[in-house]
Amino acid sequence: MIDARLLDAVGALINAHSQQELARPGLVPLIGIAGAQGSGKTTLARLAAECFGAAHLSLDDVYLTKAERQSRGRGVHPLFAVRGPPGTHDLRLLERTVEALRDAGPDSRTPLPAFDKLADDRRPETQWPVFTGRPSAVLVDGWCLGATAQGQAELAAPINALEDRRDGQGVWRRAVNEALAGPYADLFERFDAVLFLKAPSFGAVLDWRSEQEAELMGLPPADLPPARRADLAVFIQTFERISRHMLAGGVRADVTFALNLDRTVSPPASGRS
């Protein structure tokens, strides 16, 4: 169940920026919803899109294809074969889709990229959903939306076993940070507003991500195989550095809602951070 305050906050951002766009007639607001894995950002974005006549995209749906990530893994660092961090998304595909939605007319049909997480690859275009008409806004959810780059000193030491074992020299984390400081920062600047769902700690992410995985597999959370949870514990280590950085203030957001372990909202919400 989505807290009504979250839905109201998204609606307020859409309305505020729709009014501001009077100086730029016809421009559809671009609103981001950020939050750690399993925080409910996608559920919120989908519901808000339905309620307010907006189009919804997820950063997860514009991951590079498996072949493209494997190529990056060979050319830059093996960890780039693993989807998740900056450097593993097709930002041009996202930008083209946003532009198409903003240019859409009442009879337009705009294909929206889709990614199959179980297959770990982008779905064929024939399987992409289609948005019909002109949206009131474009809502994009993503775990690292609005994240800021770290300073070089922060990158020096590994923060978990994965970085220690597979990125001892820091090649991967520095490349991720460069992507975050470059094309991702450029993308984030184009958003009219970002709402951030702040997890109580990074420790909550494994439970939330396990619940999400069980849902994808059609299982109750308690029935997720222990081996799969162990795999997820390793997988989320690729997200850990930036997630912890965002929780410590390394994110630019217009509205922040602090979440409890059960994803309920801890009032009050804060403004630009």
Side-chain angles (χ1 to χ4, degrees):
M1 177 87 54
I2 292 294
D3 190 302
R5 287 171 291 180
L6 299 178
L7 197 59
D8 289 345
V10 177
L13 289 174
I14 293 173
N15 289 335
H17 288 280
S18 294
Q19 293 171 7
Q20 289 180 10
E21 303 309 338
L22 292 177
R24 295 177 290 170
L27 186 60
V28 175
L30 176 60
I31 309 295
I33 300 176
Q37 290 184 305
S39 61
K41 60 187 178 298
T42 302
T43 302
L44 172 60
R46 285 174 178 164
L47 181 59
E50 292 175 5
C51 290
F52 303 120
H56 166 237
L57 295 165
S58 177
L59 197 61
D60 287 0
D61 281 322
V62 294
Y63 281 127
L64 296 169
T65 65
K66 182 182 289 188
E68 289 169 334
R69 285 181 282 114
Q70 289 173 341
S71 177
R72 288 218 73 195
R74 291 189 295 269
V76 182
H77 188 282
L79 282 174
F80 275 113
V82 181
R83 72 176 191 268
T88 64
H89 301 91
D90 188 337
L91 298 187
R92 290 183 180 178
L93 174 60
L94 177 61
E95 290 168 355
R96 289 197 304 270
T97 306
V98 170
E99 288 173 5
L101 287 165
R102 286 179 140 180
D103 290 340
D107 299 320
S108 296
R109 290 175 55 80
T110 308
L112 308 178
F115 192 89
D116 186 336
K117 290 183 178 179
L118 290 180
D120 193 27
D121 211 349
R122 190 180 300 159
R123 294 186 185 277
E125 289 190 34
T126 55
Q127 296 179 17
W128 291 6
V130 173
F131 184 86
T132 302
R134 181 173 178 79
S136 64
V138 179
L139 306 180
V140 180
D141 75 81
W143 74 273
C144 63
L145 278 178
T148 60
Q150 292 184 290
Q152 289 303 306
E154 297 175 275
L155 301 170
I159 66 163
N160 56 34
L162 180 139
E163 288 190 2
D164 185 48
R165 187 172 61 252
R166 301 190 60 187
D167 189 40
Q169 301 302 311
V171 173
W172 172 73
R173 56 185 178 269
R174 287 186 173 85
V176 168
N177 199 59
E178 288 174 5
L180 191 57
Y184 284 75
D186 292 342
L187 171 67
F188 300 159
E189 283 293 323
R190 299 190 185 107
F191 280 75
D192 292 297
V194 173
L195 181 150
F196 179 40
L197 301 178
K198 185 177 181 180
S201 69
F202 185 74
V205 176
L206 178 58
D207 286 341
W208 290 354
R209 184 61 182 85
S210 295
E211 291 175 10
Q212 190 179 57
E213 189 74 6
E215 182 178 350
L216 286 171
M217 297 173 70
L219 299 172
D223 291 344
L224 184 71
R228 184 58 187 143
R229 182 180 171 90
D231 289 342
L232 289 172
V234 175
F235 176 65
I236 66 171
Q237 289 183 48
T238 61
F239 298 78
E240 183 171 358
R241 174 176 291 276
I242 294 174
S243 294
R244 288 188 181 277
H245 177 60
M246 294 175 73
L247 294 178
V251 59
R252 298 191 65 184
D254 298 88
V255 180
T256 297
F257 284 91
L259 303 182
N260 298 310
L261 286 173
D262 61 359
R263 300 185 189 83
T264 56
V265 175
S266 294
S270 63
R272 185 82 185 183
S273 61

